[in-house]
Amino acid sequence: GNSVTQMEGPVTLSEEAFLTINCTYTATGYPSLFWYVQYPGEGLQLLLKATKADDKGSNKGFEATYRKETTSFHLEKGSVQVSDSAVYFCALRLPAYNQGGKLIFGQGTELSVKP
Amino acid sequence: EAQVTQNPRYLITVTGKKLTVTCSQNMNHEYMSWYRQDPGLGLRQIYYSMNVEVTDKGDVPEGYKVSRKEKRNFPLILESPSPNQTSLYFCASASDAWGNTIYFGEGSWLTVV
């Protein structure tokens, strides 16, 4: 079946540390891949996306590359800030003919950045 | 500003009292859906709609109804809420069902006592 697996949290880093959150997926066909972020008490915000193999999504210093050969979409940031503390969700979106085009989410990884 | 707006944001209600969570988007999107988020279970789709008058069940539709009479609105109806429907609910929309970005509302915290 279709699924997303991301590394378990919580992840605690010091400010300016390098961040990697691993995400792998299983899907039939060619899904689009997304990272969403949820700040405390808030809704889900799109962080970045990639729609085909070898695409790199980037936003606010975060990057992720769609790797079809390893079915991965790892999130990276070179230097995290306290304000990056949030829960990060990896997700894939299936096309309409496959379960109606829904998003399938990973379980979320909580990131805490200490000053 | 492009947005998905849902109301109420916070609600405490009693078992069996019908309630509606409204959702509206101003982006002329065809695709809309509802998710619920629960600790340990993640985000799960309740219902989705590919266009006006076209709705279908997601993964956890029991106890919920939806309607799509207009393109911009997609209300979620709990006819007889129960405590297991206590959750954080998100409305979402996208231009279509073919892989484009899905945008989320800010969420509605619902408690059923």
Side-chain angles (χ1 to χ4, degrees), chain B residues 22-78:
Chain B
T22 64
C23 175
S24 179
Q25 49 90 8
N26 63 0
M27 295 171 277
N28 201 36
H29 283 169
E30 291 186 351
Y31 182 93
M32 298 185 74
S33 63
W34 279 99
Y35 290 79
R36 60 179 288 176
Q37 183 180 23
D38 302 287
L41 296 174
L43 285 134
R44 297 175 292 170
Q45 189 184 56
I46 304 171
Y47 268 95
Y48 65 96
S49 169
M50 293 213 192
N51 215 325
V52 176
E53 303 290 3
V54 180
T55 63
D56 209 343
K57 297 177 181 178
D59 298 316
V60 287
E62 297 78 21
Y64 305 95
K65 284 175 59 177
V66 293
S67 68
R68 188 92 183 272
K69 294 184 171 57
E70 307 164 281
K71 199 171 190 178
R72 63 184 292 127
N73 296 322
F74 190 46
L76 180 69
I77 302 157
L78 287 73

Side-chain angles (χ1 to χ4, degrees), chain A residues 18-96:
Chain A
F18 184 86
L19 168 72
T20 299
I21 300 178
N22 290 335
C23 171
T24 57
Y25 68 91
T26 302
T28 52
Y30 303 96
S32 298
L33 300 175
F34 304 85
W35 277 99
Y36 284 87
V37 58
Q38 187 175 27
Y39 298 102
E42 298 186 12
L44 288 163
Q45 299 176 26
L46 175 69
L47 182 59
L48 54 83
K49 68 176 184 180
T51 57
K52 61 184 187 296
D54 300 324
D55 268 3
K56 177 186 279 189
S58 62
N59 186 25
K60 299 181 181 179
F62 292 89
E63 292 183 341
T65 301
Y66 190 143
R67 300 281 187 206
K68 190 164 171 57
E69 65 276 12
T70 54
T71 61
S72 64
F73 194 53
H74 305 321
L75 182 68
E76 296 182 337
K77 186 176 186 183
S79 176
V80 294
Q81 305 301 310
V82 173
S83 57
D84 293 326
S85 298
V87 180
Y88 292 81
F89 292 91
C90 184
L92 67 84
R93 187 168 187 210
L94 304 172

Side-chain angles (χ1 to χ4, degrees), chain B residues 13-27:
Chain B
T13 190
V14 296
T15 298
K17 185 177 180 181
K18 179 179 178 180
L19 72 93
T20 298
V21 186
T22 64
C23 175
S24 179
Q25 49 90 8
N26 63 0
M27 295 171 277

Side-chain angles (χ1 to χ4, degrees), chain B residues 4 25 27 29 31-33 91-95 101-104:
Chain B
V4 179
Q25 49 90 8
M27 295 171 277
H29 283 169
Y31 182 93
M32 298 185 74
S33 63
C91 181
S93 74
S95 56
T101 303
I102 293 182
Y103 297 94
F104 287 82

